CSV table of all heavy atoms in Angstrom, one decimal:
chain,number,residue,atom,x,y,z
A,1,ILE,N,-4.2,-53.9,109.8
A,1,ILE,CA,-4.3,-52.8,110.8
A,1,ILE,C,-5.2,-53.3,112.0
A,1,ILE,O,-4.8,-53.1,113.2
A,1,ILE,CB,-4.9,-51.5,110.2
A,1,ILE,CG1,-3.9,-50.9,109.3
A,1,ILE,CG2,-5.3,-50.5,111.3
A,1,ILE,CD1,-4.4,-49.9,108.3
A,2,GLU,N,-6.3,-54.0,111.7
A,2,GLU,CA,-7.2,-54.5,112.8
A,2,GLU,C,-6.4,-55.5,113.6
A,2,GLU,O,-6.6,-55.6,114.9
A,2,GLU,CB,-8.4,-55.1,112.2
A,2,GLU,CG,-9.4,-54.1,111.7
A,2,GLU,CD,-9.8,-53.0,112.8
A,2,GLU,OE1,-10.1,-53.4,113.9
A,2,GLU,OE2,-9.7,-51.8,112.4
A,3,TRP,N,-5.6,-56.3,113.0
A,3,TRP,CA,-4.8,-57.3,113.7
A,3,TRP,C,-3.8,-56.6,114.7
A,3,TRP,O,-3.7,-57.0,115.9
A,3,TRP,CB,-4.0,-58.2,112.7
A,3,TRP,CG,-3.2,-59.3,113.4
A,3,TRP,CD1,-3.7,-60.6,113.7
A,3,TRP,CD2,-1.8,-59.3,113.7
A,3,TRP,NE1,-2.7,-61.3,114.3
A,3,TRP,CE2,-1.5,-60.6,114.3
A,3,TRP,CE3,-0.8,-58.4,113.6
A,3,TRP,CZ2,-0.3,-60.9,114.8
A,3,TRP,CZ3,0.5,-58.8,114.0
A,3,TRP,CH2,0.7,-60.0,114.6
A,4,TYR,N,-3.1,-55.6,114.2
A,4,TYR,CA,-2.2,-54.9,115.1
A,4,TYR,C,-3.0,-54.2,116.2
A,4,TYR,O,-2.5,-54.2,117.4
A,4,TYR,CB,-1.4,-53.8,114.3
A,4,TYR,CG,-0.3,-54.4,113.6
A,4,TYR,CD1,-0.2,-54.4,112.2
A,4,TYR,CD2,0.8,-55.1,114.3
A,4,TYR,CE1,0.9,-54.9,111.5
A,4,TYR,CE2,1.9,-55.6,113.6
A,4,TYR,CZ,1.9,-55.6,112.2
A,4,TYR,OH,3.0,-56.1,111.5
A,5,LYS,N,-4.2,-53.6,116.0
A,5,LYS,CA,-5.0,-53.0,117.0
A,5,LYS,C,-5.4,-54.0,118.1
A,5,LYS,O,-5.4,-53.7,119.3
A,5,LYS,CB,-6.2,-52.3,116.4
A,5,LYS,CG,-5.9,-51.0,115.7
A,5,LYS,CD,-7.1,-50.4,115.1
A,5,LYS,CE,-6.8,-49.0,114.5
A,5,LYS,NZ,-8.0,-48.4,113.9
A,6,ARG,N,-5.7,-55.2,117.7
A,6,ARG,CA,-6.0,-56.3,118.6
A,6,ARG,C,-4.8,-56.6,119.5
A,6,ARG,O,-5.0,-57.2,120.6
A,6,ARG,CB,-6.5,-57.5,117.9
A,6,ARG,CG,-7.9,-57.4,117.4
A,6,ARG,CD,-8.5,-58.8,117.0
A,6,ARG,NE,-7.7,-59.5,116.0
A,6,ARG,CZ,-7.8,-59.4,114.7
A,6,ARG,NH1,-8.6,-58.5,114.2
A,6,ARG,NH2,-7.0,-60.2,113.9
A,7,HIS,N,-3.6,-56.2,119.1
A,7,HIS,CA,-2.4,-56.5,119.9
A,7,HIS,C,-1.9,-55.2,120.6
A,7,HIS,O,-0.7,-55.2,121.0
A,7,HIS,CB,-1.3,-57.1,119.0
A,7,HIS,CG,-1.7,-58.5,118.6
A,7,HIS,ND1,-2.4,-58.8,117.4
A,7,HIS,CD2,-1.5,-59.7,119.2
A,7,HIS,CE1,-2.6,-60.1,117.4
A,7,HIS,NE2,-2.1,-60.7,118.4
A,8,GLY,N,-2.8,-54.2,120.7
A,8,GLY,CA,-2.5,-53.1,121.5
A,8,GLY,C,-1.9,-51.9,120.8
A,8,GLY,O,-1.6,-50.9,121.4
A,9,TYR,N,-1.8,-51.9,119.5
A,9,TYR,CA,-1.3,-50.8,118.7
A,9,TYR,C,-2.5,-49.8,118.4
A,9,TYR,O,-3.6,-50.3,118.2
A,9,TYR,CB,-0.7,-51.2,117.4
A,9,TYR,CG,0.7,-51.9,117.7
A,9,TYR,CD1,0.7,-53.2,118.1
A,9,TYR,CD2,1.8,-51.2,117.7
A,9,TYR,CE1,1.9,-53.8,118.4
A,9,TYR,CE2,3.1,-51.8,118.0
A,9,TYR,CZ,3.1,-53.1,118.3
A,9,TYR,OH,4.3,-53.7,118.7
A,10,VAL,N,-2.2,-48.5,118.4
A,10,VAL,CA,-3.3,-47.5,118.1
A,10,VAL,C,-2.8,-46.6,117.0
A,10,VAL,O,-1.6,-46.4,116.8
A,10,VAL,CB,-3.6,-46.7,119.4
A,10,VAL,CG1,-4.2,-47.5,120.5
A,10,VAL,CG2,-2.4,-45.9,119.9
A,11,ASP,N,-3.8,-46.2,116.2
A,11,ASP,CA,-3.6,-45.2,115.1
A,11,ASP,C,-3.2,-43.9,115.7
A,11,ASP,O,-4.0,-43.3,116.5
A,11,ASP,CB,-4.8,-45.1,114.3
A,11,ASP,CG,-4.7,-44.2,113.1
A,11,ASP,OD1,-3.6,-43.5,112.9
A,11,ASP,OD2,-5.7,-44.1,112.3
A,12,THR,N,-2.0,-43.3,115.4
A,12,THR,CA,-1.6,-42.0,115.9
A,12,THR,C,-2.3,-40.9,115.2
A,12,THR,O,-2.1,-39.7,115.6
A,12,THR,CB,-0.1,-41.9,115.8
A,12,THR,OG1,0.3,-41.9,114.4
A,12,THR,CG2,0.7,-43.0,116.5
A,13,GLY,N,-2.9,-41.1,114.1
A,13,GLY,CA,-3.5,-40.1,113.2
A,13,GLY,C,-2.5,-39.6,112.2
A,13,GLY,O,-2.8,-38.8,111.3
A,14,VAL,N,-1.2,-39.9,112.4
A,14,VAL,CA,-0.2,-39.5,111.5
A,14,VAL,C,-0.2,-40.3,110.2
A,14,VAL,O,-0.3,-41.6,110.2
A,14,VAL,CB,1.2,-39.6,112.1
A,14,VAL,CG1,2.3,-39.2,111.2
A,14,VAL,CG2,1.3,-38.7,113.4
A,15,ARG,N,0.0,-39.7,109.0
A,15,ARG,CA,0.1,-40.4,107.8
A,15,ARG,C,1.4,-39.9,107.1
A,15,ARG,O,1.8,-38.8,107.2
A,15,ARG,CB,-1.1,-40.0,106.8
A,15,ARG,CG,-2.5,-40.4,107.4
A,15,ARG,CD,-2.6,-41.9,107.6
A,15,ARG,NE,-3.9,-42.3,108.1
A,15,ARG,CZ,-4.2,-42.5,109.4
A,15,ARG,NH1,-3.2,-42.4,110.3
A,15,ARG,NH2,-5.3,-42.9,109.8
A,16,GLU,N,2.0,-40.9,106.4
A,16,GLU,CA,3.2,-40.6,105.7
A,16,GLU,C,3.1,-41.1,104.3
A,16,GLU,O,2.3,-42.0,104.0
A,16,GLU,CB,4.4,-41.4,106.4
A,16,GLU,CG,4.7,-40.9,107.8
A,16,GLU,CD,5.8,-41.7,108.4
A,16,GLU,OE1,6.3,-42.7,107.9
A,16,GLU,OE2,6.2,-41.3,109.5
A,17,PRO,N,3.8,-40.4,103.4
A,17,PRO,CA,3.6,-40.8,101.9
A,17,PRO,C,4.2,-42.2,101.7
A,17,PRO,O,5.2,-42.6,102.4
A,17,PRO,CB,4.5,-39.7,101.2
A,17,PRO,CG,5.3,-39.1,102.2
A,17,PRO,CD,4.7,-39.3,103.5
A,18,PHE,N,3.6,-42.9,100.8
A,18,PHE,CA,4.2,-44.2,100.3
A,18,PHE,C,5.1,-43.9,99.2
A,18,PHE,O,4.8,-43.4,98.2
A,18,PHE,CB,3.0,-45.1,99.8
A,18,PHE,CG,3.5,-46.5,99.4
A,18,PHE,CD1,3.7,-47.5,100.4
A,18,PHE,CD2,3.9,-46.7,98.1
A,18,PHE,CE1,4.2,-48.7,100.0
A,18,PHE,CE2,4.4,-47.9,97.7
A,18,PHE,CZ,4.5,-49.0,98.7
A,19,LEU,N,6.4,-44.3,99.5
A,19,LEU,CA,7.4,-44.0,98.5
A,19,LEU,C,7.8,-45.4,97.9
A,19,LEU,O,8.1,-46.4,98.6
A,19,LEU,CB,8.7,-43.4,99.2
A,19,LEU,CG,8.4,-42.0,99.9
A,19,LEU,CD1,9.6,-41.5,100.6
A,19,LEU,CD2,7.9,-41.0,98.9
A,20,LEU,N,7.9,-45.4,96.6
A,20,LEU,CA,8.3,-46.7,95.9
A,20,LEU,C,9.8,-47.0,96.0
A,20,LEU,O,10.6,-46.0,95.9
A,20,LEU,CB,7.9,-46.6,94.4
A,20,LEU,CG,6.4,-46.7,94.1
A,20,LEU,CD1,6.2,-46.5,92.6
A,20,LEU,CD2,5.9,-48.0,94.5
A,21,ASN,N,10.1,-48.2,96.2
A,21,ASN,CA,11.5,-48.7,96.0
A,21,ASN,C,11.7,-48.8,94.5
A,21,ASN,O,10.8,-48.8,93.7
A,21,ASN,CB,11.7,-50.0,96.7
A,21,ASN,CG,11.6,-49.9,98.2
A,21,ASN,OD1,12.0,-48.9,98.8
A,21,ASN,ND2,11.1,-51.0,98.8
A,22,ASP,N,13.0,-49.0,94.1
A,22,ASP,CA,13.3,-49.1,92.7
A,22,ASP,C,12.6,-50.3,92.1
A,22,ASP,O,12.3,-50.3,90.9
A,22,ASP,CB,14.8,-49.3,92.5
A,22,ASP,CG,15.6,-48.0,92.8
A,22,ASP,OD1,14.9,-46.9,92.8
A,22,ASP,OD2,16.8,-48.0,93.1
A,23,SER,N,12.4,-51.4,92.9
A,23,SER,CA,11.9,-52.6,92.3
A,23,SER,C,10.3,-52.7,92.5
A,23,SER,O,9.7,-53.7,92.0
A,23,SER,CB,12.5,-53.8,93.0
A,23,SER,OG,12.2,-53.9,94.4
A,24,ASP,N,9.7,-51.7,93.1
A,24,ASP,CA,8.3,-51.7,93.3
A,24,ASP,C,7.5,-51.2,92.1
A,24,ASP,O,8.0,-50.3,91.4
A,24,ASP,CB,7.9,-50.8,94.5
A,24,ASP,CG,8.2,-51.5,95.8
A,24,ASP,OD1,8.3,-52.7,95.9
A,24,ASP,OD2,8.3,-50.7,96.8
């Protein structure tokens, strides 16, 4: 996340559930 922030990305404050794939 810090790497992406250094490249101009910002945290929108939105969170989404982590859904497992069949193989995860």
Side-chain angles (χ1 to χ4, degrees):
I1 291 165
E2 288 305 314
W3 185 83
Y4 281 119
K5 286 181 175 179
R6 286 194 304 274
H7 291 89
Y9 289 82
V10 296
D11 180 357
T12 63
V14 176
R15 300 296 180 265
E16 295 178 353
F18 181 85
L19 303 174
L20 285 175
N21 293 327
D22 291 340
S23 63
D24 282 338

